[in-house]
Amino acid sequence: MTYGTIGIIGAMQEEIELLLAGLENKESERHAGIDYHRGVFHGRKVVLTRSGVGKVNAAVCTQILIDRFGADAILFTGVAGAVDPALNIGDIVISSSCLQHDVDVTALGFAPGVIPYQDVSEYPAEAGLIALAESAGEKVYPGRCATGKVLSGDQFIADRGVVKKLYEELGGACTEMEGASVAQACHMNGVPYVVIRSMSDKADGSAHVNFAEFTVEAANRSFAIVAEIVKGL
């Protein structure tokens, strides 16, 4: 599939700094309190933005990318906490799908993560973008990439018991605060997406020790993979 304009989102400034530095012919606009940067990256038309933290920020940001900038594919890059015990700090997770782990209507008989009265609550990433991300990841960080379910919620997970539950009951690879809302907005608009997350911590209560230290390194890893994906497009 050929994409005209690629939307690239990071949640934090550290996650987009390197991308911003590589943007040619940059023009910036501000909508809903969010800055959007048009330009050319590795020969492709892109719109780069920092969504801010959390699901609402990410959903609003994604909808604006689609409506105002005509983005016909969305890449979300950044850091996450590992949920799968096989993952280590610095490993990369490429989304096979995204699910909101903090949606809980179990009192009415719905399974955890299911949004009532909707046909889809777990949003698959686009197969072609997954394949590109896997190829890019293997080229840049061989042996350090996994494809799995990204769980999102408006919580910074730091409890080992919660981590165990997210892994065993929801099958999550990692947890963060934006990906599933980006995925849902893309699904509702028929726009393909993929999330690329680098593990900055183990989501186990130790984040105060290693999150700040590894955030920049993890963001650099995510940047390198996104750059390879854009080249592949």
Side-chain angles (χ1 to χ4, degrees), residues 6 29-30 60 68 71 125 135 140-141 143 148 170-172 207 213 219 226:
I6 314 302
E29 302 176 25
R30 190 171 179 84
V60 169
R68 286 187 174 267
S135 175
V140 178
Y141 297 110
L170 294 180
E213 179 182 351
V226 168

Side-chain angles (χ1 to χ4, degrees), residues 207-224:
H208 64 286
V209 175
N210 51 39
F211 180 78
E213 179 182 351
F214 286 100
T215 291
V216 174
E217 178 187 342
N220 290 347
R221 289 173 181 258
S222 295
F223 159 76

Side-chain angles (χ1 to χ4, degrees), residues 56-97:
V56 174
N57 279 330
V60 169
C61 178
T62 302
Q63 193 64 52
I64 289 173
L65 276 173
I66 294 167
D67 285 346
R68 286 187 174 267
F69 296 97
D72 48 19
I74 302 288
L75 311 178
F76 195 107
T77 178
V79 299
V83 168
D84 184 337
L87 292 170
N88 294 305
I89 292 170
D91 287 350
I92 304 290
V93 169
I94 297 157
S95 63
S96 56
S97 63

Side-chain angles (χ1 to χ4, degrees), residues 70-233:
D72 48 19
I74 302 288
L75 311 178
F76 195 107
T77 178
V79 299
V83 168
D84 184 337
L87 292 170
N88 294 305
I89 292 170
D91 287 350
I92 304 290
V93 169
I94 297 157
S95 63
S96 56
S97 63
C98 291
L99 177 75
Q100 297 176 61
H101 68 75
D102 60 348
V103 172
D104 186 349
V105 196
T106 53
L108 297 182
F110 294 93
V114 169
I115 303 169
Y117 317 120
Q118 287 194 183
D119 293 336
V120 180
S121 296
E122 181 176 334
Y123 305 99
E126 201 273 326
L129 293 178
I130 293 173
L132 272 175
E134 289 173 337
S135 175
E138 195 56 34
K139 179 178 179 180
V140 178
Y141 297 110
R144 299 297 302 274
C145 298
T147 301
K149 187 188 301 183
V150 174
L151 302 178
S152 307
D154 283 323
Q155 303 156 355
F156 191 102
I157 303 299
D159 182 286
R160 287 182 174 85
V162 174
V163 169
K164 188 171 186 287
K165 184 176 180 180
L166 293 179
Y167 177 64
E168 293 180 354
E169 295 185 12
L170 294 180
C174 65
T175 181
E176 35 87 302
M177 299 177 67
E178 296 85 23
S181 56
V182 171
Q184 182 174 348
C186 285
H187 175 80
M188 293 169 74
N189 287 277
V191 172
Y193 86 92
V194 72
V195 173
I196 303 100
R197 291 288 193 176
S198 182
M199 302 303 99
S200 62
D201 62 274
K202 298 278 280 186
D204 61 358
S206 62
H208 64 286
V209 175
N210 51 39
F211 180 78
E213 179 182 351
F214 286 100
T215 291
V216 174
E217 178 187 342
N220 290 347
R221 289 173 181 258
S222 295
F223 159 76
I225 292 177
V226 168
E228 285 297 321
I229 294 172
V230 173
K231 291 176 189 176
L233 291 170

